[in-house]
mmCIF file of all heavy atoms in Angstrom:
data_model
loop_
_atom_site.group_PDB
_atom_site.id
_atom_site.type_symbol
_atom_site.label_atom_id
_atom_site.label_comp_id
_atom_site.label_asym_id
_atom_site.label_seq_id
_atom_site.Cartn_x
_atom_site.Cartn_y
_atom_site.Cartn_z
ATOM 1 N N PHE A 1483 79.343 102.815 134.551
ATOM 2 C CA PHE A 1483 79.837 101.616 134.188
ATOM 3 C C PHE A 1483 81.333 101.822 133.755
ATOM 4 O O PHE A 1483 81.675 102.741 132.892
ATOM 5 C CB PHE A 1483 79.212 101.009 132.951
ATOM 6 C CG PHE A 1483 77.697 100.776 133.314
ATOM 7 C CD1 PHE A 1483 76.685 101.725 132.988
ATOM 8 C CD2 PHE A 1483 77.309 99.627 133.757
ATOM 9 C CE1 PHE A 1483 75.383 101.527 133.277
ATOM 10 C CE2 PHE A 1483 75.960 99.327 134.144
ATOM 11 C CZ PHE A 1483 75.035 100.329 133.870
ATOM 12 N N ILE A 1484 82.283 101.029 134.370
ATOM 13 C CA ILE A 1484 83.741 101.130 134.116
ATOM 14 C C ILE A 1484 84.201 99.904 133.392
ATOM 15 O O ILE A 1484 83.995 98.837 133.880
ATOM 16 C CB ILE A 1484 84.498 101.407 135.411
ATOM 17 C CG1 ILE A 1484 84.039 102.744 136.105
ATOM 18 C CG2 ILE A 1484 86.046 101.415 135.169
ATOM 19 C CD1 ILE A 1484 84.721 102.923 137.498
ATOM 20 N N SER A 1485 84.832 100.084 132.342
ATOM 21 C CA SER A 1485 85.483 98.964 131.565
ATOM 22 C C SER A 1485 87.019 99.191 131.442
ATOM 23 O O SER A 1485 87.370 100.278 131.060
ATOM 24 C CB SER A 1485 84.889 98.882 130.100
ATOM 25 O OG SER A 1485 85.450 97.909 129.362
ATOM 26 N N THR A 1486 87.782 98.126 131.644
ATOM 27 C CA THR A 1486 89.206 98.319 131.671
ATOM 28 C C THR A 1486 89.848 97.042 131.063
ATOM 29 O O THR A 1486 89.441 95.976 131.216
ATOM 30 C CB THR A 1486 89.698 98.420 133.077
ATOM 31 O OG1 THR A 1486 89.209 99.578 133.731
ATOM 32 C CG2 THR A 1486 91.266 98.465 133.106
ATOM 33 N N ARG A 1487 90.898 97.320 130.171
ATOM 34 C CA ARG A 1487 91.694 96.298 129.524
ATOM 35 C C ARG A 1487 93.079 96.814 129.328
ATOM 36 O O ARG A 1487 93.282 97.721 128.483
ATOM 37 C CB ARG A 1487 91.089 95.804 128.290
ATOM 38 C CG ARG A 1487 90.871 96.747 127.233
ATOM 39 C CD ARG A 1487 90.126 96.180 125.920
ATOM 40 N NE ARG A 1487 89.966 97.121 124.838
ATOM 41 C CZ ARG A 1487 88.958 97.986 124.679
ATOM 42 N NH1 ARG A 1487 88.079 97.926 125.627
ATOM 43 N NH2 ARG A 1487 88.999 98.772 123.720
ATOM 44 N N GLU A 1488 94.055 96.200 130.030
ATOM 45 C CA GLU A 1488 95.498 96.545 129.954
ATOM 46 C C GLU A 1488 95.715 98.032 130.026
ATOM 47 O O GLU A 1488 95.450 98.665 131.030
ATOM 48 C CB GLU A 1488 96.042 95.917 128.738
ATOM 49 C CG GLU A 1488 96.027 94.442 128.678
ATOM 50 C CD GLU A 1488 96.616 93.755 127.526
ATOM 51 O OE1 GLU A 1488 96.990 94.474 126.593
ATOM 52 O OE2 GLU A 1488 96.807 92.478 127.571
ATOM 53 N N ASN A 1489 96.113 98.705 128.893
ATOM 54 C CA ASN A 1489 96.392 100.106 128.884
ATOM 55 C C ASN A 1489 95.300 100.976 128.388
ATOM 56 O O ASN A 1489 95.496 102.098 127.898
ATOM 57 C CB ASN A 1489 97.545 100.339 127.850
ATOM 58 C CG ASN A 1489 98.857 99.822 128.529
ATOM 59 O OD1 ASN A 1489 98.961 99.463 129.712
ATOM 60 N ND2 ASN A 1489 99.920 99.815 127.727
ATOM 61 N N TYR A 1490 93.994 100.551 128.741
ATOM 62 C CA TYR A 1490 92.867 101.346 128.304
ATOM 63 C C TYR A 1490 91.813 101.223 129.332
ATOM 64 O O TYR A 1490 91.541 100.184 129.834
ATOM 65 C CB TYR A 1490 92.349 100.918 126.895
ATOM 66 C CG TYR A 1490 91.136 101.656 126.396
ATOM 67 C CD1 TYR A 1490 91.202 102.867 125.714
ATOM 68 C CD2 TYR A 1490 89.889 101.065 126.610
ATOM 69 C CE1 TYR A 1490 90.173 103.555 125.274
ATOM 70 C CE2 TYR A 1490 88.721 101.773 126.139
ATOM 71 C CZ TYR A 1490 88.839 103.055 125.470
ATOM 72 O OH TYR A 1490 87.751 103.620 124.991
ATOM 73 N N THR A 1491 91.103 102.278 129.566
ATOM 74 C CA THR A 1491 89.850 102.320 130.446
ATOM 75 C C THR A 1491 88.871 103.307 130.007
ATOM 76 O O THR A 1491 89.224 104.352 129.313
ATOM 77 C CB THR A 1491 90.293 102.659 131.913
ATOM 78 O OG1 THR A 1491 89.092 102.488 132.744
ATOM 79 C CG2 THR A 1491 90.759 104.024 131.982
ATOM 80 N N GLU A 1492 87.591 103.086 130.304
ATOM 81 C CA GLU A 1492 86.562 104.020 129.864
ATOM 82 C C GLU A 1492 85.467 104.011 130.963
ATOM 83 O O GLU A 1492 85.181 102.946 131.590
ATOM 84 C CB GLU A 1492 85.962 103.710 128.512
ATOM 85 C CG GLU A 1492 85.270 102.369 128.446
ATOM 86 C CD GLU A 1492 84.730 102.107 127.057
ATOM 87 O OE1 GLU A 1492 85.294 102.648 126.126
ATOM 88 O OE2 GLU A 1492 83.741 101.369 126.870
ATOM 89 N N LEU A 1493 84.888 105.107 131.139
ATOM 90 C CA LEU A 1493 83.722 105.409 132.124
ATOM 91 C C LEU A 1493 82.525 105.833 131.219
ATOM 92 O O LEU A 1493 82.605 106.778 130.575
ATOM 93 C CB LEU A 1493 84.086 106.431 133.185
ATOM 94 C CG LEU A 1493 82.974 107.019 134.030
ATOM 95 C CD1 LEU A 1493 82.457 105.883 134.893
ATOM 96 C CD2 LEU A 1493 83.513 108.216 134.819
ATOM 97 N N SER A 1494 81.496 105.076 131.507
ATOM 98 C CA SER A 1494 80.213 105.408 130.815
ATOM 99 C C SER A 1494 79.100 105.786 131.888
ATOM 100 O O SER A 1494 78.943 105.000 132.849
ATOM 101 C CB SER A 1494 79.751 104.141 129.948
ATOM 102 O OG SER A 1494 78.476 104.466 129.322
ATOM 103 N N ILE A 1495 78.413 106.848 131.588
ATOM 104 C CA ILE A 1495 77.376 107.305 132.557
ATOM 105 C C ILE A 1495 76.112 107.428 131.658
ATOM 106 O O ILE A 1495 76.085 108.087 130.677
ATOM 107 C CB ILE A 1495 77.682 108.649 133.122
ATOM 108 C CG1 ILE A 1495 79.031 108.641 133.771
ATOM 109 C CG2 ILE A 1495 76.560 109.050 134.114
ATOM 110 C CD1 ILE A 1495 79.453 110.063 134.284
ATOM 111 N N VAL A 1496 75.037 106.720 131.977
ATOM 112 C CA VAL A 1496 73.785 106.708 131.225
ATOM 113 C C VAL A 1496 72.718 107.559 132.036
ATOM 114 O O VAL A 1496 72.824 107.821 133.259
ATOM 115 C CB VAL A 1496 73.277 105.238 131.136
ATOM 116 C CG1 VAL A 1496 74.240 104.410 130.318
ATOM 117 C CG2 VAL A 1496 72.972 104.636 132.444
ATOM 118 N N ASN A 1497 71.784 108.049 131.187
ATOM 119 C CA ASN A 1497 70.725 108.908 131.742
ATOM 120 C C ASN A 1497 71.179 110.025 132.489
ATOM 121 O O ASN A 1497 70.889 110.156 133.796
ATOM 122 C CB ASN A 1497 69.707 107.995 132.503
ATOM 123 C CG ASN A 1497 68.375 108.676 132.840
ATOM 124 O OD1 ASN A 1497 68.048 109.604 132.083
ATOM 125 N ND2 ASN A 1497 67.776 108.255 133.824
ATOM 126 N N LEU A 1498 71.975 110.866 131.924
ATOM 127 C CA LEU A 1498 72.608 111.952 132.689
ATOM 128 C C LEU A 1498 71.611 112.921 133.370
ATOM 129 O O LEU A 1498 70.573 113.190 132.929
ATOM 130 C CB LEU A 1498 73.447 112.872 131.676
ATOM 131 C CG LEU A 1498 74.641 112.216 131.061
ATOM 132 C CD1 LEU A 1498 75.251 113.073 129.979
ATOM 133 C CD2 LEU A 1498 75.737 111.977 132.200
ATOM 134 N N GLU A 1499 72.045 113.241 134.666
ATOM 135 C CA GLU A 1499 71.210 114.194 135.418
ATOM 136 C C GLU A 1499 71.930 115.524 135.583
ATOM 137 O O GLU A 1499 73.139 115.527 135.898
ATOM 138 C CB GLU A 1499 70.950 113.597 136.803
ATOM 139 C CG GLU A 1499 70.192 112.286 136.810
ATOM 140 C CD GLU A 1499 70.051 111.670 138.150
ATOM 141 O OE1 GLU A 1499 70.362 112.419 139.221
ATOM 142 O OE2 GLU A 1499 69.463 110.628 138.350
ATOM 143 N N ILE A 1500 71.227 116.613 135.316
ATOM 144 C CA ILE A 1500 71.913 117.933 135.203
ATOM 145 C C ILE A 1500 72.293 118.429 136.577
ATOM 146 O O ILE A 1500 73.178 119.236 136.653
ATOM 147 C CB ILE A 1500 70.912 118.910 134.546
ATOM 148 C CG1 ILE A 1500 71.611 120.223 134.137
ATOM 149 C CG2 ILE A 1500 69.782 119.293 135.498
ATOM 150 C CD1 ILE A 1500 70.831 121.128 133.201
ATOM 151 N N GLU A 1501 71.778 117.931 137.667
ATOM 152 C CA GLU A 1501 72.046 118.413 139.010
ATOM 153 C C GLU A 1501 73.197 117.590 139.619
ATOM 154 O O GLU A 1501 73.861 118.097 140.477
ATOM 155 C CB GLU A 1501 70.832 118.445 139.890
ATOM 156 C CG GLU A 1501 69.778 119.397 139.460
ATOM 157 C CD GLU A 1501 68.571 119.405 140.458
ATOM 158 O OE1 GLU A 1501 68.548 118.566 141.316
ATOM 159 O OE2 GLU A 1501 67.760 120.199 140.197
ATOM 160 N N MET A 1502 73.356 116.349 139.187
ATOM 161 C CA MET A 1502 74.208 115.421 139.899
ATOM 162 C C MET A 1502 75.504 115.132 139.022
ATOM 163 O O MET A 1502 76.628 114.975 139.709
ATOM 164 C CB MET A 1502 73.556 113.961 140.104
ATOM 165 C CG MET A 1502 72.283 114.157 141.007
ATOM 166 S SD MET A 1502 72.808 114.630 142.766
ATOM 167 C CE MET A 1502 73.726 113.161 143.156
ATOM 168 N N ASP A 1503 75.482 115.147 137.739
ATOM 169 C CA ASP A 1503 76.565 114.515 136.977
ATOM 170 C C ASP A 1503 77.673 115.500 136.444
ATOM 171 O O ASP A 1503 78.807 115.160 136.326
ATOM 172 C CB ASP A 1503 76.054 113.725 135.863
ATOM 173 C CG ASP A 1503 75.229 112.558 136.375
ATOM 174 O OD1 ASP A 1503 75.588 111.979 137.413
ATOM 175 O OD2 ASP A 1503 74.316 112.102 135.577
ATOM 176 N N PRO A 1504 77.385 116.786 136.238
ATOM 177 C CA PRO A 1504 78.362 117.712 135.751
ATOM 178 C C PRO A 1504 79.517 117.810 136.779
ATOM 179 O O PRO A 1504 79.364 117.614 137.995
ATOM 180 C CB PRO A 1504 77.656 118.968 135.567
ATOM 181 C CG PRO A 1504 76.183 118.670 135.503
ATOM 182 C CD PRO A 1504 76.035 117.413 136.328
ATOM 183 N N GLY A 1505 80.752 118.067 136.233
ATOM 184 C CA GLY A 1505 81.873 118.206 137.133
ATOM 185 C C GLY A 1505 83.134 117.770 136.586
ATOM 186 O O GLY A 1505 83.292 117.415 135.291
ATOM 187 N N GLU A 1506 84.247 117.535 137.418
ATOM 188 C CA GLU A 1506 85.501 117.150 136.995
ATOM 189 C C GLU A 1506 85.660 115.673 137.394
ATOM 190 O O GLU A 1506 85.411 115.247 138.453
ATOM 191 C CB GLU A 1506 86.611 117.887 137.686
ATOM 192 C CG GLU A 1506 86.566 119.366 137.331
ATOM 193 C CD GLU A 1506 87.722 120.202 138.079
ATOM 194 O OE1 GLU A 1506 88.718 119.439 138.478
ATOM 195 O OE2 GLU A 1506 87.633 121.341 138.248
ATOM 196 N N TYR A 1507 86.114 114.938 136.344
ATOM 197 C CA TYR A 1507 86.283 113.413 136.491
ATOM 198 C C TYR A 1507 87.851 113.205 136.226
ATOM 199 O O TYR A 1507 88.453 113.793 135.344
ATOM 200 C CB TYR A 1507 85.579 112.602 135.604
ATOM 201 C CG TYR A 1507 83.999 112.637 135.889
ATOM 202 C CD1 TYR A 1507 83.269 113.698 135.553
ATOM 203 C CD2 TYR A 1507 83.402 111.623 136.677
ATOM 204 C CE1 TYR A 1507 81.936 113.832 135.877
ATOM 205 C CE2 TYR A 1507 82.068 111.610 136.907
ATOM 206 C CZ TYR A 1507 81.322 112.782 136.537
ATOM 207 O OH TYR A 1507 79.910 112.772 136.858
ATOM 208 N N GLN A 1508 88.467 112.219 137.057
ATOM 209 C CA GLN A 1508 89.826 111.854 136.841
ATOM 210 C C GLN A 1508 89.977 110.396 136.566
ATOM 211 O O GLN A 1508 89.328 109.509 137.269
ATOM 212 C CB GLN A 1508 90.668 112.283 137.984
ATOM 213 C CG GLN A 1508 91.028 113.765 138.190
ATOM 214 C CD GLN A 1508 92.019 114.051 139.347
ATOM 215 O OE1 GLN A 1508 92.264 113.189 140.120
ATOM 216 N NE2 GLN A 1508 92.460 115.261 139.381
ATOM 217 N N CYS A 1509 90.815 110.044 135.644
ATOM 218 C CA CYS A 1509 91.253 108.559 135.457
ATOM 219 C C CYS A 1509 92.651 108.543 136.133
ATOM 220 O O CYS A 1509 93.499 109.308 135.703
ATOM 221 C CB CYS A 1509 91.152 108.128 134.096
ATOM 222 S SG CYS A 1509 92.297 108.883 132.920
ATOM 223 N N ASN A 1510 92.832 107.454 136.927
ATOM 224 C CA ASN A 1510 94.187 107.315 137.676
ATOM 225 C C ASN A 1510 94.796 105.988 137.108
ATOM 226 O O ASN A 1510 94.063 104.950 137.252
ATOM 227 C CB ASN A 1510 93.940 107.273 139.160
ATOM 228 C CG ASN A 1510 93.316 108.571 139.625
ATOM 229 O OD1 ASN A 1510 93.919 109.524 140.038
ATOM 230 N ND2 ASN A 1510 91.956 108.551 139.668
#
Side-chain angles (χ1 to χ4, degrees):
F1483 301 93
I1484 298 174
S1485 175
T1486 297
R1487 57 182 184 275
E1488 296 183 351
N1489 284 352
Y1490 179 85
T1491 182
E1492 62 183 28
L1493 169 65
S1494 176
I1495 310 175
V1496 299
N1497 194 21
L1498 289 170
E1499 297 180 6
I1500 196 169
E1501 296 181 356
M1502 298 292 296
D1503 297 330
E1506 297 181 23
Y1507 292 78
Q1508 283 186 352
C1509 65
N1510 303 268

